[in-house]
Amino acid sequence: ELFNLVHLSELYLNFNRFSGRLSSKIGNLHNLVELFLFHNELTGQLPASIGKLNQLKIFTVAKNKLEGTLPEELNELTSLEILSLEGNGVDGGIKGPLLDFSSLPNLQQLFLNYNKLTGTIPETFLSGVTNKFKDLKVDLISNELQGILPASLSTFQKLRLYVADNEIEGISSELCLKDEWMGGNVQDFSCDAIACPPNTHNSFGRQSDSNIPCEPCEDGTKALFYGSLECITDKAHEGRKERDILEEFYRATGGESWSINTNWMNDEVSICEWHGVTCENENVESVESLHLSKNSLTGATPSSLFSLPQIQEINLSDNNVSFSFDGVEDAKNLNYLNLDATGLTSLSGLEKATSLTLLHINENDFDGSIPTELFSLANLEVLFLSANSFSGELPEELRNLSNLRFFDVSNCGLSGHIPEWMGDLTALEYLRLDQNSFSGELPFALSTNLVQLEHLDISDQKSRGGKGLE
């Protein structure tokens, strides 16, 4: 294996088809000075062992399919002069916070453009660079960075800092006085040489020439952030935000391994044409429903899913996902939620989903009493809870769900009497209580009040140890 060639000082593997994760054995090559891996098909996260290469001066793994976050161990590459991780954001991208790279005294060029980095630029960013008077190039274009460009960067005299196509909200005023920044452009164009201000744009997101100024947005469009490449309408801005949410969802749930992922992550295709996505109408890129049942999803679903402004239906049934209800109150229009057979153990937070009318949580991993969060969902019309391992009696608080038309608690381990208050659920059309351990007599109200009832199943109350109904 290459990793046994411990005397290597230069390794060039660029423009090939190497795939899979970069092996942690890369740390064995402790004499490496130059490592070129760009234009391959490497995936996954950079291994922590990369930090063992303390002789490394040039490391480029650009134009691959890397994912995950930047390992802290990159800060241990104290000899590093050039680091290039650009262009990994097409199918996934390096995400998470931007490292401060504060322990790299010799750094001259840093390329992190076209990834998925989030958060702000740290106050300590590049603070360990020894020579503040040398040219230093930093490319952060097309990430998801936010906040203000920090004043601490003013210690550099000849910085070229490229931040277009992020979500930058401000530039510290000290930076606009650095005449030698951006190849001297700051002297001519002040802050515009770093990034076009909000509600202006050009194709570079900054001014570098008197012939290419930062142009004002046309009426009906806007640019919310510094460094905008274009001005867009409010609807287009929302559509772009929704695309970002779906991309986050794809990465978090192992999208590359889904059974079907047609068109997902394709920038050339409307999100309305992504598999499982339905939009409000053909003319508006706004997600109305997400149906990905039995599609081999894994991992934890991000709470940002509930920030889709028009989302009405979510069906992730029969997937091995970890689902949290944090932020569900933001989904004001959510009326249908199907999480059958997803391994749910808790409904904490679901009580805030007050717009729900249809809820499917069959075949999950609940135990104990029926979750109290359900009692607050007064608009529910359909509630399916079958094949869970509940215990005890049907709680009286369920009588508050007066709009229920379909109610299924079959095969749930319930016992006791079928309660008289069930006659208060007068809208019921479909009722399944079978395969439990109910005993005693049927309540009189069941036959007198439930006049809309079309389907009733109370069979098999004995095979699970119950006495049966009389």
Side-chain angles (χ1 to χ4, degrees):
E1 288 187 352
L2 287 174
F3 303 115
N4 295 325
L5 304 176
V6 294
H7 297 292
L8 276 178
S9 61
E10 299 173 355
L11 180 58
Y12 298 86
L13 300 175
N14 35 297
F15 289 104
N16 279 294
R17 296 177 61 187
F18 293 110
S19 59
R21 292 176 176 267
L22 181 60
S23 172
S24 60
K25 293 180 181 179
I26 193 69
N28 296 344
L29 306 181
H30 50 82
N31 286 307
L32 273 182
V33 176
E34 298 182 6
L35 177 56
F36 287 79
L37 295 167
F38 62 85
H39 272 288
N40 279 286
E41 298 177 10
L42 297 173
T43 58
Q45 183 165 335
L46 287 174
S49 59
I50 200 74
K52 296 179 180 179
L53 307 181
N54 54 18
Q55 303 298 315
L56 198 62
K57 291 185 177 181
I58 301 175
F59 178 35
T60 171
V61 65
K63 304 294 179 67
N64 279 276
K65 299 179 180 180
L66 297 179
E67 295 182 308
T69 57
L70 293 169
E72 291 282 350
E73 289 76 10
L74 287 172
N75 252 330
E76 298 173 13
L77 302 177
T78 53
S79 299
L80 202 63
E81 297 176 2
I82 299 174
L83 174 61
S84 177
L85 303 176
E86 67 191 85
N88 281 287
V90 176
D91 294 310
I94 299 171
K95 59 183 180 180
L98 174 65
L99 289 183
D100 64 4
F101 296 103
S102 60
S103 301
L104 307 182
N106 303 302
L107 194 65
Q108 299 174 21
Q109 297 181 32
L110 176 62
F111 299 93
L112 298 172
N113 42 316
Y114 300 104
N115 280 291
K116 302 289 184 182
L117 295 171
T118 56
T120 60
I121 296 176
E123 286 286 336
T124 54
F125 188 55
L126 306 176
S127 60
V129 174
T130 304
N131 191 339
K132 301 291 199 296
F133 294 89
K134 287 179 63 175
D135 284 324
L136 175 61
K137 182 176 181 179
V138 178
D139 195 338
L140 302 173
I141 288 173
S142 293
N143 280 281
E144 298 171 12
L145 296 169
Q146 301 174 326
I148 296 173
L149 300 186
S152 57
L153 292 174
S154 64
T155 58
F156 294 98
Q157 299 306 307
K158 296 182 179 181
L159 181 62
R160 296 174 185 262
L161 176 63
Y162 301 96
V163 294
D165 196 24
N166 280 281
E167 298 179 7
I168 301 298
E169 298 156 336
I171 301 175
S172 296
S173 58
E174 296 94 324
L175 307 186
C176 303
L177 303 175
K178 306 299 293 184
D179 290 349
E180 295 184 74
W181 271 37
M182 311 306 289
N185 290 153
V186 170
Q187 183 176 16
D188 297 325
F189 308 117
S190 189
C191 286
D192 288 9
I194 302 172
C196 290
N199 291 319
T200 68
H201 73 106
N202 68 32
S203 57
F204 303 103
R206 55 178 289 268
Q207 185 171 3
S208 58
D209 189 299
S210 57
N211 295 319
I212 311 176
C214 297
E215 299 280 359
C217 292
E218 296 180 1
D219 289 345
T221 66
K222 61 185 179 182
L224 297 179
F225 305 108
Y226 282 80
S228 292
L229 305 180
E230 60 181 340
C231 299
I232 57 177
T233 64
D234 286 338
K235 285 186 177 180
H237 177 72
E238 286 300 321
R240 181 167 295 177
K241 180 181 177 183
E242 294 193 37
R243 180 180 288 265
D244 289 342
I245 291 171
L246 291 179
E247 288 181 353
E248 180 187 10
F249 175 82
Y250 179 88
R251 293 190 296 270
T253 57
E256 287 191 348
S257 301
W258 290 357
S259 300
I260 306 175
N261 57 10
T262 306
N263 291 332
W264 279 77
M265 310 301 279
N266 188 336
D267 289 337
E268 305 301 319
V269 177
S270 165
I271 58 174
C272 305
E273 298 179 29
W274 291 7
H275 171 72
V277 176
T278 304
C279 288
E280 194 173 10
N281 59 61
E282 294 180 356
N283 301 316
V284 180
E285 269 199 351
S286 190
V287 180
E288 186 176 76
S289 66
L290 182 64
H291 287 256
L292 293 169
S293 176
K294 298 181 180 178
N295 203 42
S296 303
L297 277 67
T298 58
T301 59
S303 59
S304 58
L305 193 62
F306 298 126
S307 296
L308 293 168
Q310 303 302 324
I311 191 71
Q312 296 181 28
E313 301 180 2
I314 297 175
N315 183 352
L316 303 180
S317 60
D318 293 280
N319 288 291
N320 185 25
V321 293
S322 174
F323 196 92
S324 168
F325 299 100
D326 290 344
V328 72
E329 65 273 15
D330 295 332
K332 306 294 185 184
N333 301 304
L334 185 64
N335 59 60
Y336 171 78
L337 182 59
N338 189 334
L339 298 174
D340 289 347
T342 55
L344 275 177
T345 59
S346 170
L347 297 183
S348 178
L350 183 64
E351 70 277 3
K352 299 174 183 176
T354 53
S355 59
L356 275 180
T357 58
L358 297 91
L359 178 62
H360 292 241
I361 48 175
N362 300 318
E363 297 181 57
N364 279 292
D365 296 333
F366 299 108
D367 56 21
S369 302
I370 287 178
T372 59
E373 291 85 357
L374 296 171
F375 308 153
S376 301
L377 306 180
N379 290 312
L380 276 183
E381 298 179 11
V382 176
L383 177 57
F384 286 170
L385 300 172
S386 69
N388 281 291
S389 298
F390 298 124
S391 59
E393 301 182 357
L394 280 170
E396 186 173 356
E397 290 87 347
L398 285 172
R399 74 193 304 174
N400 298 331
L401 307 184
S402 58
N403 293 305
L404 275 184
R405 297 187 298 115
F406 294 77
F407 184 40
D408 184 353
V409 286
S410 59
N411 190 20
C412 276
L414 298 170
S415 57
H417 291 75
I418 296 176
E420 189 73 28
W421 57 258
M422 187 151 278
D424 295 343
L425 303 179
T426 55
L428 278 176
E429 302 172 19
Y430 179 100
L431 177 60
R432 283 192 62 183
L433 305 174
D434 54 290
Q435 302 174 73
N436 283 291
S437 298
F438 290 116
S439 59
E441 297 182 356
L442 284 176
F444 182 68
L446 211 63
S447 59
T448 58
N449 294 5
L450 305 187
V451 295
Q452 305 295 326
L453 200 61
E454 298 179 4
H455 179 97
L456 174 63
D457 189 345
I458 53 175
S459 63
D460 190 8
Q461 302 296 332
K462 296 178 66 177
S463 63
R464 289 157 182 78
K467 296 180 179 180
L469 295 168
E470 302 174 2

